[in-house]
């Protein structure tokens, strides 16, 4: 079952890779649009933006993460993928997956996929500038992977309140998160808060700083981290990123480094409304 679920994700990654290559090949011959679509990255911060990618477009958010010294975990290297489709200016559909993780615990190293989650995000107030955009989001686990989790246990259901705005040249995203976490047959509530602030350094480069917190009901502790990242806007539809996160409590993952990209497919799908 796990292998079949993992194999089912491979075409998604191949389509994304082929689309990147095809757009690069076609750039010289394709005339620019009067209103070209622009990617709206959620990665690499823990915070997700309340705003959505352009309506009718599919967006891929792909990354690799290396982590050290997490509770019950010496190290882990993993690949993560989020695929988003914006059905309307109010609604986004999402798939989040961890197709592969190489983990070192106290025993032998293991190779296993993580969870697969399906969700949606709905904008409840469309703001502009300093007037914030507010959205609600929900994720439900549809496949339970064997890869160990960082900082908090695997969630079966997760709900978000998201707020985003621009203030005096800075952009902020803040999330309030309510998770139902699972350890075996035991279920507990976990709560999280995030605040990410970003600023454009130039037309191509940007810098993000973030503080985040999650309760850890099974460890009777709190995971708190400080994240810093830089992004490079290679083109309207492609944003590259890299950065690190440092855990601030004894039950947080001590260090994480990551790199990845956000890619917006340049052509609309026919399913938007």
């Amino acid at each position: 079952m796990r292998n079949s679920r993992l194999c089912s994700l491979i075409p998604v990654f191949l389509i994304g890779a082929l689309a990147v290559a095809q757009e690069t090949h076609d750039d010289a011959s394709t005339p620019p649009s009067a209103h070209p679509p622009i990617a709206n990255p959620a990665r690499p911060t823990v915070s997700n933006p309340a705003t959505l990618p352009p309506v009718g477009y599919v967006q891929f958010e792909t990354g690799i993460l290396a982590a050290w010294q997490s509770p019950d975990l010496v190290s882990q290297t993993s690949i993560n993928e989020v695929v988003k489709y914006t059905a309307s200016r109010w609604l986004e559909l999402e798939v989040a997956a961890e197709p592969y993780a190489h983990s070192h615990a106290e025993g032998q190293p293991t190779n296993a996929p993580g969870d697969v989650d399906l969700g949606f995000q709905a904008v409840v107030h469309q703001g502009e500038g300093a007037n914030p955009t507010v959205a609600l989001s929900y994720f439900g686990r549809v496949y339970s992977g064997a890869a160990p989790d960082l900082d908090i246990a695997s969630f079966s259901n997760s709900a978000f309140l998201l707020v985003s705005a621009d203030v005096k040249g800075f952009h902020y995203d803040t999330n309030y998160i309510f998770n139902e976490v699972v350890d075996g047959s035991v279920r507990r509530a976990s709560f999280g808060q995030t605040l990410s602030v970003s600023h454009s350094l130039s037309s191509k480069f940007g810098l993000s700083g973030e503080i985040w917190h999650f309760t850890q009901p099974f460890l009777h502790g709190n995971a708190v981290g400080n994240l810093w990242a830089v992004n490079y806007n290679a083109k309207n539809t492609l944003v590259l990123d890299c950065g690190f996160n440092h855990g601030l409590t004894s039950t947080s993952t001590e260090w994480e480094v990551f790199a990845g990209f956000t890619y917006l497919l340049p052509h609309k799908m026919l399913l938007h409304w």
Side-chain angles (χ1 to χ4, degrees):
M1 174 65 77
R2 285 174 180 167
N3 287 339
S4 64
R5 293 292 185 92
L6 179 59
C7 289
S8 69
L9 293 172
I10 292 176
V12 173
F13 294 99
L14 292 178
I15 291 171
L18 290 173
V20 171
Q22 183 63 38
E23 189 198 12
T24 302
H25 179 268
D26 292 345
D27 270 348
S29 59
T30 302
S33 169
H35 299 285
I38 299 175
N40 183 38
R43 59 163 299 110
T45 57
V46 180
S47 301
N48 287 300
T51 55
L52 307 181
V55 176
Y57 290 86
V58 176
Q59 179 169 286
F60 292 85
E61 299 173 4
T62 306
I64 184 168
L65 171 71
W68 295 271
Q69 300 304 320
S70 187
D72 300 323
L73 195 62
V74 176
S75 65
Q76 185 181 84
T77 302
S78 60
I79 296 172
N80 45 80
E81 178 74 26
V82 178
V83 182
K84 300 177 178 179
Y85 172 69
T86 308
S88 76
R89 63 190 297 256
W90 306 103
L91 180 65
E92 172 186 87
L93 308 178
E94 303 180 52
V95 180
E98 186 182 46
Y100 171 82
H102 177 72
S103 307
H104 281 266
E106 297 301 328
Q108 295 294 323
T110 59
N111 298 305
D115 295 345
V116 178
D117 307 302
L118 294 180
F120 68 88
Q121 182 169 316
V123 175
V124 296
H125 174 72
Q126 189 76 55
E128 185 176 357
N131 180 20
T133 296
V134 180
L136 300 175
S137 179
Y138 167 79
F139 273 94
R141 186 180 61 194
V142 296
Y143 170 71
S144 181
D149 298 291
L150 300 175
D151 294 315
I152 61 173
S154 175
F155 69 82
S156 58
N157 294 284
S158 185
F160 295 70
L161 170 65
L162 311 96
V163 181
S164 299
D166 297 292
V167 180
K168 296 185 177 180
F170 290 85
H171 176 83
Y172 75 82
D173 300 311
T174 182
N175 294 176
Y176 301 89
I177 305 163
F178 309 88
N179 290 333
E180 180 190 27
V181 293
V182 181
D183 187 2
S185 60
V186 181
R187 299 172 182 267
R188 293 285 187 271
S190 172
F191 306 99
Q193 304 84 33
T194 70
L195 175 62
S196 171
V197 179
S198 59
H199 182 63
S200 295
L201 303 177
S202 68
S203 61
K204 291 292 186 179
F205 287 94
L207 175 68
S208 299
E210 181 178 44
I211 187 75
W212 57 266
H213 161 259
F214 285 92
T215 61
Q216 297 171 304
F218 294 113
L219 297 177
H220 305 288
N222 293 273
V224 181
N226 180 219
L227 180 150
W228 292 91
V230 294
N231 63 273
Y232 173 69
N233 304 312
K235 57 180 69 176
N236 286 338
T237 56
L238 179 62
V239 181
L240 311 178
D241 64 72
C242 64
F244 70 92
N245 180 80
H246 178 50
L248 303 178
T249 66
S250 60
T251 55
S252 305
T253 303
E254 187 171 0
W255 288 102
E256 300 174 45
V257 294
F258 47 81
F261 65 89
T262 297
Y263 179 67
L264 185 77
L265 294 183
H267 304 293
K268 272 190 174 183
M269 302 289 287
L270 298 178
L271 299 178
H272 70 280
W273 66 81

